Amino acid sequence: MIPVHEWLLFTGAALLMVLTPGPNMIYLISRSICQGRLAGITSLVGVVAGFLVHMTAAAVGLTALFMAVPLGYDLLKWAGAAYLLWMAWQAVKPGARSPFEARELTPDSPVKLMMMGFLTSLLNPKVAMFYLSILPQFISPEHGSLMVQSLTLGLTQITVSFTVNLLIAVFAAGLSAWFVRYPLWLMVQRYVMGFVLAGLALRLVQEQRKLA
């Protein structure tokens, strides 16, 4: 069983990642603004399906990797920290854009909306790096089956992401209009996100290997 404090920390990391601008957020916001809330929610179904593929692949692959190559933990730890620092820089670098500056999209059918959401999620490097580099930091043989832990944490990430993205899809138009009226908050959001991501990266680097 994963300790409650570790689970809460992972939940916070999952919340941080879903709030960080990426392909999924940009697509859902743009789709909701251009085609309406229902289109955004339909696209979200496809995004969640992509999460399930990432979760299953990570659960099977990480279990096999850690059993065969203990060094894999350290390699993933450093890769995850480097990626978080890169995302932090993307948030604060000069000229960075907010995901609430939506792209124009032509209307699509429900099937195409779900398929595009699925492909956006499946090919999203942010999601892949989260499952391959951050999720492993919260797994330990001391807490039971590696597979069960991976699935538990994966379902937690999916629940957090679904909830946040659902709210984004429903309120995208209003949020976008609000940020247009108060552009200063776009900069504040970017810098806060950048510093938090950098802090999480430092925590991963300092984390002791649990799979010795």
Side-chain angles (χ1 to χ4, degrees):
M1 177 69 74
I2 301 172
V4 174
H5 72 279
E6 287 284 321
W7 180 80
L8 290 175
L9 185 59
F10 176 82
T11 301
L15 178 61
L16 173 64
M17 293 301 289
V18 73
L19 290 175
T20 304
N24 289 346
M25 179 184 288
I26 293 172
Y27 178 71
L28 290 174
I29 290 174
S30 299
R31 182 56 68 189
S32 296
I33 292 175
C34 294
Q35 197 174 339
R37 295 174 178 174
L38 182 59
I41 295 172
T42 303
S43 300
L44 178 56
V45 174
V47 170
V48 171
F51 286 151
L52 290 172
V53 174
H54 280 289
M55 179 190 71
T56 303
V60 175
L62 289 174
T63 299
L65 174 64
F66 288 163
M67 294 299 291
V69 187
L71 179 61
Y73 178 90
D74 292 320
L75 294 176
L76 290 177
K77 177 179 73 173
W78 286 100
Y83 186 68
L84 287 172
L85 289 174
W86 180 81
M87 291 184 64
W89 167 244
Q90 294 300 307
V92 302
K93 71 178 183 180
R97 296 185 60 188
S98 167
F100 291 97
E101 301 174 44
R103 299 176 292 126
E104 288 295 329
L105 298 174
T106 57
D108 284 325
S109 66
V111 173
K112 188 172 182 179
L113 288 173
M114 285 189 286
M115 182 57 65
M116 289 301 298
F118 173 74
L119 291 176
T120 300
S121 179
L122 187 65
L123 302 177
N124 187 347
K126 187 177 78 169
V127 177
M129 288 301 296
F130 182 86
Y131 273 97
L132 292 177
S133 299
I134 298 175
L135 183 145
Q137 318 306 322
F138 297 87
I139 296 175
S140 171
E142 298 176 357
H143 303 150
S145 167
L146 299 180
M147 176 71 74
V148 172
Q149 291 181 68
S150 296
L151 292 175
T152 299
L153 295 175
L155 290 174
T156 297
Q157 183 273 332
I158 290 174
T159 301
V160 171
S161 294
F162 174 80
T163 302
V164 172
N165 282 317
L166 178 62
L167 293 174
I168 287 174
V170 171
F171 297 107
L175 287 171
S176 181
W178 189 87
F179 277 116
V180 168
R181 291 197 302 271
Y182 303 100
L184 175 63
W185 287 103
L186 287 176
M187 183 178 67
V188 172
Q189 175 257 331
R190 291 194 294 108
Y191 276 92
V192 169
M193 194 63 63
F195 283 116
V196 174
L197 285 168
L200 181 58
L202 293 176
R203 179 194 179 277
L204 291 186
V205 170
Q206 296 170 353
E207 185 77 8
Q208 295 297 314
R209 189 160 71 91
K210 300 176 183 179
L211 299 172

